[in-house]
Amino acid sequence: MPKIEENQLFTVIIEWEVNPKYQQELINGLSNQIDTYFKDYDGFISASFHASEDGKRVINYAQ
């Protein structure tokens, strides 16, 4: 579960529209990039991905 802090943080919410057959590939690729490049940065709290049931959208919430 992501930890949501109310003070002194930068929060990003990004929405992607995607072909349903690539929804999981997008999530996997973005998760890999976060693990490789961002996870160990000072101040990084969390990143979460939310997949729409119709497969057409991915929402990323990161702090």
Side-chain angles (χ1 to χ4, degrees):
M1 183 68 138
K3 179 180 177 184
I4 299 174
E5 298 287 341
E6 293 183 19
N7 298 316
Q8 301 176 347
L9 295 176
F10 180 74
T11 302
V12 177
I13 300 173
I14 303 171
E15 177 181 5
W16 284 275
E17 288 188 26
V18 63
N19 182 315
K21 69 181 180 179
Y22 298 119
Q23 185 187 55
Q24 190 59 52
E25 284 185 51
L26 176 63
I27 292 169
N28 294 345
L30 293 169
S31 294
N32 183 49
Q33 294 296 307
I34 289 168
D35 287 343
T36 301
Y37 298 107
F38 300 108
K39 186 174 73 173
D40 295 325
Y41 275 53
D42 288 341
F44 178 82
I45 304 294
S46 68
S48 301
F49 295 95
H50 306 274
S52 67
E53 290 183 5
D54 65 3
K56 295 181 181 180
R57 289 188 174 71
V58 174
I59 305 292
N60 170 223
Y61 178 93
Q63 290 185 310

